[in-house]
Amino acid sequence: MDSTSAAVAGAVTFLWLGMVLAISFLEAPLKFRAPGVTIPIGLGIGRMVFRALNLGEAVLAVVVVVAVATGGPSAAVVALTAVVVAVLAVQLGVVRPLLNRRSDAVLAGEDPAEHRSRAHLYYVALETVKVLALLALGCAALAG
């Protein structure tokens, strides 16, 4: 990759990685442990935070794709970019709507323990894949 495209792709990728780590793996689980935060309050906060995170991720994904596409990337960088974008697309297009329906039901008064959903587990699994792919993509982009 040319040096400017590599620097942009690497910097934006690591910024994206930091955002995902901070929100998904720190803020999200910790907010439910804070004193006075009920499940409905935590869900309301979580929906707003993840809506903002996902919007930011979409913007960063576009920047990474443009930097990679214009930089003469290696096959590894192209493949890792495709993985990261595909994971984000599945999260936004498939899993987030399931999570929104679930949180709507809980906010409407449904007991969260009554009907368990696996959508949260799918989201966490995809976040883990995305984190690993972002780490590899950032390293590969900066390596050349």
Side-chain angles (χ1 to χ4, degrees):
M1 274 182 84
D2 72 65
S3 61
T4 302
S5 294
V8 170
V12 172
T13 297
F14 285 119
L15 172 64
W16 184 357
L17 174 62
M19 289 171 55
V20 171
L21 289 172
I23 298 299
S24 294
F25 295 100
L26 287 177
E27 183 276 339
L30 289 177
K31 79 173 154 273
F32 289 102
R33 293 189 175 141
V37 175
T38 63
I39 289 177
I41 290 172
L43 287 175
I45 293 168
R47 286 173 71 153
M48 290 181 68
V49 168
F50 275 90
R51 188 176 306 124
L53 172 65
N54 293 151
L55 177 61
E57 286 185 286
V59 170
L60 295 175
V62 169
V63 173
V64 169
V65 167
V66 169
V68 168
T70 60
S74 67
V77 169
V78 171
L80 289 165
T81 302
V83 168
V84 170
V85 170
V87 168
L88 180 61
V90 170
Q91 285 180 305
L92 297 180
V94 178
V95 183
R96 275 296 305 277
L98 296 172
L99 289 171
N100 286 341
R101 281 196 290 277
R102 176 75 176 136
S103 62
D104 285 343
V106 171
L107 291 171
E110 181 181 297
D111 181 3
E114 218 171 277
H115 299 92
R116 293 284 182 187
S117 168
R118 293 187 180 262
H120 184 257
L121 297 176
Y122 299 143
Y123 196 87
V124 171
L126 288 167
E127 282 291 78
T128 302
V129 170
K130 186 168 63 183
V131 160
L132 295 172
L134 284 168
L135 180 59
L137 174 58
C139 292
L142 292 176

